[in-house]
């Protein structure tokens, strides 16, 4: 989800459940997408990326799904743990990835209840 | 391998002053990007440097400037500070070429303008 102003959308899940964080991106020409995790007091940390020629990519406990038809990206976290609590950002770029300027979504706060 | 290092971690300035922030990229990385993060606007791209040249620039006023040295270290400068410049300034580095799009972020410099 995307946020407005100071209020980030919050997803609250029980430890052990699966989490799904959604992102609507803006540019139909974007061809590279990244999910970042940001914990309090730290910079964004790379989680997983996907190129526009793919629909799905899996990592360790994480899966990213890309739907170019509706310009939608999602991050699935399996067996969510307390350490997964953070703000998650999707980012896109439309320069074939050769430039440094990612366009970030406003973020979703994931809260994991023990 | 050491990560992206930013100094100082915190900074307090008053309106009208100028400030210089420093960033040391991951060893071997030649591209350095700067982002501004605020609760209201989220993460916004400032500029990117590659081999001492500004390669891309975001939509910020000319008061925001940067440079990169031959060892890839980078500095950004903000002149005539305004209250709205209060933000977390993040530096990110990456390798080179389109196969290395992953940006690795530092922990940022928290700037407060009073």
């Amino acid at each position: 989800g995307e946020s407005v102003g100071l209020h980030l959308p919050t997803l609250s899940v029980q430890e052990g459940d699966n989490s799904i964080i959604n992102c609507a991106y803006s540019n139909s020409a974007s061809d590279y997408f990244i999910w970042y995790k940001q914990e309090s007091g730290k910079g964004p940390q790379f989680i997983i990326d996907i190129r526009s020629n793919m629909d799905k990519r899996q990592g360790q406990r994480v899966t990213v799904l890309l739907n170019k038809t509706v310009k939608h990206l999602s991050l699935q976290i399996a067996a969510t743990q307390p350490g997964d609590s953070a703000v998650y950002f999707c980012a896109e770029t439309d320069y074939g990835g050769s430039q440094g300027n990612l366009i970030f979504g406003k973020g979703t706060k994931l809260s994991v209840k023990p | 391998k050491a990560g992206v290092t930013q100094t100082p971690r915190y900074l307090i300035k008053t309106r009208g002053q100028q400030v210089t922030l420093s960033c040391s990229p991951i060893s071997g990385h030649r591209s350095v990007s700067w982002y501004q993060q605020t609760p209201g606007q989220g993460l916004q791209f400032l500029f990117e440097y590659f081999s001492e040249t500004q390669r891309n620039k975001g939509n910020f006023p000319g008061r925001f400037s940067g440079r990169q040295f031959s060892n890839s270290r980078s500095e950004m400068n903000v002149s005539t500070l305004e209250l709205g410049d209060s933000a977390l300034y993040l530096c990110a580095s990456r390798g080179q070429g389109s196969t290395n799009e992953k940006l690795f972020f530092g922990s940022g410099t928290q700037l407060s303008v009073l």
Side-chain angles (χ1 to χ4, degrees), chain A residues 36 38 41 51 97 100-102, chain B residues 9 35 37 48 56 101 103:
Chain A
Y36 281 93
Q38 187 174 25
R51 296 187 184 281
N101 55 317
L102 293 174
Chain B
R9 187 72 178 89
Y35 287 80
Q37 185 174 28
E48 183 202 11
N56 206 354
E101 294 91 348
L103 282 178

Side-chain angles (χ1 to χ4, degrees), chain A residues 23-101:
Chain A
C23 174
Y25 63 92
S26 55
N27 189 347
S28 57
S30 290
D31 58 4
Y32 181 61
F33 306 88
I34 307 177
W35 280 100
Y36 281 93
K37 169 188 179 183
Q38 187 174 25
E39 296 173 282
S40 181
K42 298 184 180 180
Q45 175 187 357
F46 172 88
I47 302 173
I48 191 167
D49 58 359
I50 188 168
R51 296 187 184 281
S52 58
N53 60 353
M54 301 173 69
D55 297 321
K56 178 180 179 179
R57 190 161 187 226
Q58 288 183 291
Q60 186 176 14
R61 281 202 308 120
V62 295
T63 300
V64 55
L65 298 177
L66 174 63
N67 186 330
K68 294 181 288 294
T69 303
V70 294
K71 292 191 288 185
H72 184 268
L73 198 64
S74 69
L75 176 70
Q76 300 177 359
I77 304 174
T80 313
Q81 302 168 0
D84 294 327
S85 293
V87 177
Y88 289 80
F89 295 94
C90 64
E92 60 181 300
T93 180
D94 62 354
Y95 289 107
S98 62
Q99 303 280 357
N101 55 317

